[in-house]
Amino acid sequence: MNSKRNALIIQIVVLATGVMLSCFSGWFLYKMEEKAILNEFRKEVNGRVASLYREISLNLETLRALAILFNGDNIPEFEKFRLESQNILSRHSDIQALEWIQQVNHAERVQYESKYQHLYPGFAITERTTQGYLVPAEERPEYFPAYYVDPVIDCVAPLGFDFASSPQQFEALKRVRDTAMPLVVSSRDVVQVFGDEKVFLAFLPIYKGVSSTVNTRRKNLRGFVAAIFPVSAIFEGSALSLEPKGIEMQLVDETAAAHDDILHIHKSRTGFVAYEGIAYRKELPVIWGLKLSLLASPTLRYMDDKRDSQPLLIFTAGILATFFIVFYLNSIARRNVVIEQIVVEKTKELHEANRKLKRLSRTDSLTGIANRRYMDEFLDKEWQGAIRNQASISFVLMDIDSFKLYNDNYGHPAGDECLKQVAAALKGVVHRPGDLLARYGGEEFALVLADTGDAEFVAESCRRSIEELHLAHEYSTVADIVTISVGFCTIVPGQKTSPSLIIDYADKALYKAKMGGKNRIDSFEWRHERSN
């Protein structure tokens, strides 16, 4: 009866364990797969950011080519400006318009308007009303009208538009003028743009002569070459593939004055919604004062396309294997004789495995030296021998300095490699067959030295051997290499003492070494009466 009940309990345990392991394995693989997908997703977003930055940079550099026309003594004729601008526009379709913005004082306004009216009757310096109409600009000390605009056919209205009438654009022009640095701002307040379309406005200052101070720049300013780039055209032009990726993106202006303004929203062409809970923000390098970032989220389609059936297969296989095992155990439970025979055979195998395990249990799997358990057994044996022979025994305890900082900054794989190299170096110090080097725990190592006359020399040799490895550790609080602190103690043990005594003394010596500045050795002074 008990056998049947025990067999039933075993089957229930196996079933529960198998189901849990199958679920865990499937879940674990699912998460690992998701992590790999997210890494690939971030890589694709980073590629799009690099492409977008390159696209913006290439378009902005065209202004420098256009600015060369205005470096002479006189402003070039419009035909010469248009010839160069047409050459640029033919190679850069993302540019909506190129302009020459000239500084005009109020006293020059009438003459300026009259001069241009022979080409465009009714030409005037204008500004835009709140209703969106262009009207003659109000009187100001100075104006910054669009003097040349290309393409002309699409941009008749912007001719004469005063950029000083827009507070945002006027502040940008003054900043460019005073710093002599090119600048890009995002804006909707542009004559060429209708609705909520956002553009990049790029300005490059032109001066007469050398202008190295703010005052000379204001005095010598001739005007600005400018370009208008629709944000949507720039964004679409930076696409790395014609095939839909299944990623939703937002281009955000993070320039201080913009307050995280969303410039462009790109909906996935797959038509699927974004995958909840996953968002990745990548900043573009600052270019001409413009600070942008790309906020991206994968869609459900993106995640589904990247997944495979492996987690489900593992889960299904685990469940099937579990039921098979349960069925198998149930069959075996009906044949007690066979079960008993199997138990006997398995017991023999277990004894053999335990014998092998006992041999393996003495060795630290990472460093290959003795582990703590075997060290305790060895120390106890040597301790009893020292009591019988009234001989001395020494215990050396070592700790890698600032090892947590090493792991935190170089990673645990590098930390494991460091422990291996330290163990190998210490092993080279131990020459006597009767001495034992062990990994005491974590980053601590220990030496058991039976009947040695100079434990201090061995301790210093250990410290120096690690220092001579010259393992880089730039985050150490002691040196720029890996170092150890060492504490040791030598005792002639008495009858009523235990090995924990010498370990405690060595630990106190190690504490002294740590408090004394690390990368040093210290001993604990032992007196004979303490061990009795």
Side-chain angles (χ1 to χ4, degrees), residues 10 28 60 82 90 96 168 198 212 227 239 241 245 247 249 255 282 326 335 420 438 471 482 490 532:
I10 291 173
F28 179 76
L60 290 178
R82 189 166 184 267
S90 65
Q96 182 168 322
Q168 180 201 20
K198 284 207 169 186
S212 57
S241 171
K245 291 290 186 180
I247 300 175
M249 291 174 278
T255 311
K282 178 67 175 180
V326 171
R335 297 178 295 170
K420 292 178 185 178
L471 295 177
V482 172
T490 302
N532 293 324

Side-chain angles (χ1 to χ4, degrees), residues 484-504:
I484 62 171
S485 298
V486 186
F488 68 94
C489 181
T490 302
I491 288 180
V492 178
Q495 291 291 338
K496 297 181 180 181
T497 60
S498 68
S500 62
L501 181 69
I502 195 171
I503 294 176
D504 181 58

Side-chain angles (χ1 to χ4, degrees), residues 1 3 55 69 91 126 141 143 156 170 194 204 226 230 239 247-248 274 276 296 319 339 364 367 403 410-411:
M1 188 69 179
S3 297
E55 187 76 12
L69 294 175
R91 290 181 286 109
T126 59
Y143 309 91
V156 173
F170 188 39
F194 300 95
L204 188 65
I247 300 175
E248 287 195 354
E276 289 187 10
I319 294 295
I339 290 178
D364 177 64
T367 60
F403 189 69
Y410 293 100

Side-chain angles (χ1 to χ4, degrees), residues 85 239 243-244 481:
S85 65
E243 180 184 352
I481 58 173

Side-chain angles (χ1 to χ4, degrees), residues 296-343:
S297 297
T299 61
L300 293 172
R301 174 68 177 273
Y302 181 92
M303 300 297 289
D304 290 342
D305 286 347
K306 301 294 182 181
R307 294 192 187 281
D308 58 32
S309 58
Q310 186 178 15
L312 180 60
L313 290 175
I314 294 297
F315 170 76
T316 304
I319 294 295
L320 292 175
T322 299
F323 279 103
F324 174 78
I325 292 172
V326 171
F327 175 79
Y328 181 69
L329 290 176
N330 185 58
S331 300
I332 292 178
R334 297 175 183 177
R335 297 178 295 170
N336 290 330
V337 176
V338 177
I339 290 178
E340 290 175 0
Q341 184 62 37
I342 291 176
V343 169

Side-chain angles (χ1 to χ4, degrees), residues 240-473:
L240 298 174
S241 171
L242 295 176
E243 180 184 352
K245 291 290 186 180
I247 300 175
E248 287 195 354
M249 291 174 278
Q250 292 182 1
L251 184 62
V252 181
D253 187 349
E254 294 186 347
T255 311
H259 302 293
D260 287 358
D261 188 15
I262 297 177
L263 301 180
H264 182 71
I265 297 177
H266 173 77
K267 292 291 185 181
S268 171
R269 290 172 287 171
T270 60
F272 285 78
V273 297
Y275 193 87
E276 289 187 10
I278 299 177
Y280 176 56
R281 182 186 290 266
K282 178 67 175 180
E283 293 183 356
L284 279 73
V286 178
I287 178 169
W288 287 25
L290 184 65
K291 185 178 181 182
L292 301 173
S293 67
L294 192 64
L295 182 62
S297 297
T299 61
L300 293 172
R301 174 68 177 273
Y302 181 92
M303 300 297 289
D304 290 342
D305 286 347
K306 301 294 182 181
R307 294 192 187 281
D308 58 32
S309 58
Q310 186 178 15
L312 180 60
L313 290 175
I314 294 297
F315 170 76
T316 304
I319 294 295
L320 292 175
T322 299
F323 279 103
F324 174 78
I325 292 172
V326 171
F327 175 79
Y328 181 69
L329 290 176
N330 185 58
S331 300
I332 292 178
R334 297 175 183 177
R335 297 178 295 170
N336 290 330
V337 176
V338 177
I339 290 178
E340 290 175 0
Q341 184 62 37
I342 291 176
V343 169
V344 170
E345 293 175 1
K346 293 298 180 182
T347 301
K348 291 180 180 179
E349 294 176 3
L350 182 61
H351 287 160
E352 178 63 19
N354 286 336
R355 187 182 65 80
K356 295 179 180 179
L357 182 62
K358 185 177 180 180
R359 184 176 69 252
L360 293 174
S361 67
R362 294 183 172 186
T363 305
D364 177 64
S365 60
L366 177 66
T367 60
I369 61 176
N371 58 20
R372 171 72 179 275
R373 178 181 176 184
Y374 181 60
M375 187 214 74
D376 289 338
E377 295 175 359
F378 182 86
L379 178 59
D380 185 71
K381 178 182 177 182
E382 293 298 322
W383 189 267
Q384 297 304 321
I387 292 175
R388 289 193 302 270
N389 301 324
Q390 280 297 290
S392 68
I393 187 169
S394 298
F395 189 82
V396 182
L397 193 57
M398 298 160 281
D399 182 78
I400 301 176
D401 298 323
S402 304
F403 189 69
K404 184 179 184 303
L405 293 175
Y406 191 99
N407 263 340
D408 290 346
N409 290 279
Y410 293 100
H412 288 279
D416 290 346
E417 185 60 29
C418 176
L419 290 172
K420 292 178 185 178
Q421 294 192 47
V422 168
L426 294 175
K427 195 173 181 180
V429 177
V430 181
H431 300 296
R432 300 193 311 173
D435 296 337
L436 178 71
L437 171 67
R439 185 179 178 189
Y440 191 73
E443 67 270 23
E444 290 186 326
F445 296 84
L447 266 176
V448 179
L449 307 172
D451 196 19
T452 183
D454 195 357
E456 182 177 359
F457 174 78
V458 176
E460 175 58 20
S461 298
C462 290
R463 187 201 66 80
R464 192 168 57 250
S465 70
I466 304 307
E467 202 173 45
E468 290 173 352
L469 287 176
H470 296 291
L471 295 177
H473 189 357

